[in-house]
Amino acid sequence: MSTSFFGNIMKKTLFTILLCLPLVMANAQEYRIPVSETHEQMQTGPYEPTWESLRTHETPEWFRNAKFGIWAHWGPQCVEGSGDWMARSLYMEGSREYKWHVEHYGHPSEVGFKDILPLFKAERWNPEQLVQRYKRCGAQYFFVLGNHHDNFDLWDSKYQPWNSKNIGPKRDILDEWAQAAKKAGLPLGISFHADHAWTWYEPSQRYDLQGEKAGIYYDGNLRKDDGKGKWWEGLDPQQLYQQEHPMSKGSWDNGAIHSQWDWSSGACPPSQEFVTNFYDRTLDAINRYHPDLIYFDVTVLPFYPLSDCGLKIATHLYNKNPRAVVFGKILNEEQRQALTWDVERGAPNEIIPEPWQTCNCIGGWHYNTRIYERGEYKSAATVVKQLVDIVSKNGNLLLSIPLRADGTYDEKESKVLDDLEAWMTVNGESIFGTRPWVRFGEGPVAEQDIKLNAQGFNDGQFAKMDARDIRFNQTSKYLYVTAMGWPESGQIMIKSLAKGNKEFKKSISNVYLLGHGKLKVRQTAEGLVVKLPKPCNAIAPVLRINK
């Protein structure tokens, strides 16, 4: 091994000692890796970067009324079509993504993720057409990916040369999305995930343990000088991979990162330079594209509790845009007063007092050819049922429709959108602008004690809903009752609306089936019995009852 290799190891070791020293000292200050505002200054105003101050911000009514958004979770990791987190998994020897990458592109010591970036062309991408399509499906706000854990900025970034204007499409993706959203009249959301590149890319420091290339380091160890004569000459791979630091504890264990997502359990702490760079990039995007919502794929906020970075970003947006929404995951009660709680791929099984959101996807977060080939997309019926369930509990649904690298969705996704549009056109009034009733629902799934798994991941339980499961929500004039399927018997009984119930004392003699008309019903001591016509949509009947 070369002298330079040992030199790099020594520098990494010294880096860890110096960086971890403040972490074992007495708590002299609350945040041990404070951001620098040398380049980007936090917007001042009524809010300050403290939990006490941010708790005074209320989730705006426009968001509570919106209920449904669509997310273009799209970037260069879609190139290979091997799914989410492929830019990490391609460095995991023996993994499916590693094998695909080696077979079709090359060994990660020679062809790493940096070399996939120029292949992201977006050659068939039409943002205006896509956003208009999503709006017809009922989307009331639109989200885009600003950067993912792959650390590639999808705009003309001031602070990250590895960006879509310099490499690949040679287009300012965020700017074009923002213009399309504005033209469609939809609030814009941007998601930022690059704060975890520090640990997420650690497998790029590895090497094969067996085979003809055993012991040859992957390209995560390359430096700027290694680019002479290459397509990336002048660019520093470390500005992309961010691996000039030792690996976290247990880093060769592919699953260790999940227990370290909150920067605990031996995660190598980030440098102030890296934290500040993320802060600068995020403020740069906020100031240019003026989002109404920002999403972080983190526990609470970026770099929390090590740094004030996330608190300052949230404060900056709230001070610039009082109608803004900032999402955080795995929040305690105090934090839910300051941020809007996001649940990934799941939902609580109760009404939540504060507005919240589920983020979900009909397939993988990044385009996955295997999901397409196996016909494993969520159907529109599944999406609708989950949306209705979420809305009944005071939540919103943000749904991702994966795009291929060229910027288009496939014909199976098109069918999902068509079916979703058909249901929303008839039944949208039961979703938008509504609020929870006194109870969210009844039926087998409603009665289960369904727990969240970390930040969510329990939506499989809600996929089991059928016509026996009923969900409620309301406006000032109407109570909406949705059965999660058409009963084979052609009849449903709503126990919560039995004669003499305390929640709805008015006698019910008829109801209105959206998309059909009035129905005669019988209200008994056991429940409200509703005889339905033949199915007028293939998903879920919605009843409207005058209050």
Side-chain angles (χ1 to χ4, degrees):
M1 293 186 180
S2 67
T3 304
S4 60
F5 168 78
F6 284 109
N8 287 331
I9 292 295
M10 291 298 294
K11 284 193 290 185
K12 290 182 178 182
T13 303
L14 179 60
F15 173 87
T16 296
I17 294 172
L18 293 175
L19 187 57
C20 292
L21 184 61
L23 303 182
V24 298
M25 293 173 62
N27 289 328
Q29 57 185 20
E30 186 176 0
Y31 301 109
R32 292 161 291 192
I33 311 177
V35 299
S36 166
E37 294 186 53
T38 301
H39 299 116
E40 296 289 337
Q41 286 76 47
M42 183 189 74
Q43 178 76 42
T44 58
Y47 299 102
E48 297 180 356
T50 67
W51 290 115
E52 292 75 16
S53 178
L54 296 185
R55 284 177 64 185
T56 65
H57 182 271
E58 294 185 3
T59 303
E61 285 296 295
W62 77 261
F63 177 77
R64 299 194 68 189
N65 292 331
K67 303 303 180 187
F68 181 56
I70 286 184
W71 189 4
H73 190 286
W74 175 63
Q77 287 185 80
C78 299
V79 167
E80 296 192 21
S82 55
D84 199 36
W85 283 33
M86 60 75 55
R88 171 180 164 88
S89 299
L90 74 85
Y91 296 106
M92 296 176 179
E93 183 181 11
S95 71
R96 178 177 58 84
E97 296 85 353
Y98 168 94
K99 291 177 180 177
W100 176 267
H101 180 81
V102 169
E103 179 181 354
H104 294 88
Y105 298 91
H107 191 265
S109 64
E110 301 162 350
V111 182
F113 185 66
K114 71 179 187 313
D115 302 292
I116 300 303
L117 299 177
L119 306 180
F120 175 52
K121 298 291 189 182
E123 61 270 28
R124 297 174 64 197
W125 175 54
N126 186 324
E128 184 176 321
Q129 191 176 80
L130 287 168
V131 174
Q132 291 293 344
R133 180 75 179 91
Y134 300 149
K135 186 176 181 180
R136 294 200 304 274
C137 292
Q140 303 293 296
Y141 54 102
F142 174 64
F143 247 96
V144 302
L145 192 70
N147 50 41
H148 199 251
H149 310 314
D150 59 25
N151 211 25
F152 182 77
D153 283 354
L154 290 158
W155 74 93
D156 185 15
S157 181
K158 290 168 60 178
Y159 303 102
Q160 172 56 299
W162 297 86
N163 68 66
S164 64
K165 186 67 173 176
N166 290 342
I167 302 167
K170 302 294 181 70
R171 296 166 73 174
D172 189 324
I173 300 292
L174 276 193
D175 181 57
E176 293 188 50
W177 277 132
Q179 291 182 45
K182 183 177 181 180
K183 187 170 184 177
L186 295 181
L188 175 70
I190 305 176
S191 67
F192 301 97
H193 311 239
D195 53 303
H196 270 93
W198 185 267
T199 52
W200 191 81
Y201 263 135
E202 284 184 9
S204 70
Q205 293 191 49
R206 298 181 190 174
Y207 45 82
D208 282 0
L209 296 175
Q210 54 189 5
E212 62 181 20
K213 293 188 180 295
I216 300 175
Y217 280 88
Y218 302 152
D219 73 330
N221 292 289
L222 293 178
R223 303 297 189 273
K224 185 175 183 178
D225 289 347
D226 296 312
K228 293 180 179 178
K230 308 284 180 58
W231 75 263
W232 48 275
E233 183 173 359
L235 290 168
D236 185 355
Q238 290 311 310
Q239 288 183 292
L240 180 69
Y241 297 137
Q242 292 291 338
Q243 293 306 300
E244 290 187 305
H245 63 82
M247 290 182 173
S248 300
K249 180 180 178 181
S251 185
W252 281 76
D253 174 359
N254 294 335
I257 191 172
H258 300 292
S259 65
Q260 299 169 342
W261 206 247
D262 61 353
W263 302 99
S264 66
S265 305
C268 180
S271 67
Q272 185 186 41
E273 180 183 11
F274 178 71
V275 171
T276 298
N277 178 257
F278 178 82
Y279 168 85
D280 287 340
R281 289 155 67 185
T282 306
L283 262 62
D284 175 39
I286 290 172
N287 294 340
R288 289 195 198 192
Y289 309 113
H290 312 292
D292 296 292
L293 315 95
I294 56 174
Y295 167 103
F296 298 115
D297 189 9
V298 299
T299 302
V300 186
L301 282 170
F303 306 108
Y304 188 82
L306 300 182
S307 176
D308 57 354
C309 174
L311 284 170
K312 285 191 171 182
I313 294 172
T315 303
H316 180 80
L317 184 61
Y318 286 167
N319 282 332
K320 283 184 68 68
N321 184 355
R323 70 192 295 271
V325 181
V326 177
F327 297 100
K329 298 181 180 180
I330 315 183
L331 305 177
N332 63 31
E333 292 302 317
E334 178 190 36
Q335 292 160 349
R336 288 189 201 178
Q337 299 295 321
L339 307 172
T340 300
W341 182 36
D342 181 85
V343 179
E344 183 174 352
R345 290 189 182 271
N349 211 22
E350 60 182 335
I351 296 174
I352 302 300
E354 304 87 7
W356 59 281
Q357 175 182 268
T358 286
C359 60
N360 213 323
C361 185
I362 66 169
W365 286 118
H366 281 100
Y367 192 84
N368 191 322
T369 305
R370 290 209 312 170
I371 292 176
Y372 164 76
E373 292 172 345
R374 295 179 179 184
E376 295 176 347
Y377 289 130
K378 287 183 176 71
S379 66
T382 297
V383 171
V384 166
K385 291 173 187 179
Q386 292 184 348
L387 171 63
V388 172
D389 176 74
I390 289 162
V391 169
S392 75
K393 300 167 182 175
N394 204 28
N396 288 25
L397 172 62
L398 175 62
L399 182 70
S400 174
I401 308 295
L403 295 175
R404 295 172 290 203
D406 67 1
T408 63
Y409 48 77
D410 60 54
E411 79 281 359
K412 294 179 182 178
E413 293 175 297
S414 181
K415 176 64 164 57
V416 174
L417 291 171
D418 289 342
D419 292 346
L420 183 59
E421 180 181 351
W423 189 90
M424 284 290 212
T425 299
V426 173
N427 300 289
E429 70 169 82
S430 69
I431 299 296
F432 309 122
T434 62
R435 297 291 183 271
W437 191 45
V438 294
R439 64 185 65 180
F440 73 86
E442 63 181 53
V445 174
E447 294 160 9
Q448 293 180 35
D449 183 17
I450 300 175
K451 303 293 186 184
L452 294 173
N453 178 16
Q455 61 259 47
F457 300 114
N458 66 355
D459 65 341
Q461 297 296 314
F462 298 102
K464 301 174 182 177
M465 295 183 291
D466 58 32
R468 297 170 297 167
D469 290 288
I470 307 293
R471 294 295 180 269
F472 306 102
N473 54 334
Q474 63 179 339
T475 63
S476 60
K477 292 179 61 178
Y478 302 118
L479 174 67
Y480 293 97
V481 182
T482 305
M484 299 302 203
W486 288 83
E488 293 183 5
S489 66
Q491 178 174 290
I492 58 174
M493 176 184 285
I494 306 162
K495 297 178 182 178
S496 300
L497 296 178
K499 183 179 293 186
N501 75 84
K502 297 179 181 179
E503 286 84 14
F504 199 94
K505 297 179 180 179
K506 181 179 176 181
S507 178
I508 303 172
S509 58
N510 59 62
V511 302
Y512 187 91
L513 174 64
L514 300 188
H516 176 79
K518 288 185 178 180
L519 304 175
K520 291 184 179 180
V521 299
R522 289 186 296 114
Q523 193 175 24
T524 71
E526 287 74 38
L528 182 69
V529 181
V530 181
K531 181 71 174 177
L532 295 170
K534 291 182 179 180
C536 53
N537 68 66
I539 297 179
V542 182
L543 306 177
R544 187 178 71 197
I545 302 173
N546 289 324
K547 291 170 67 175

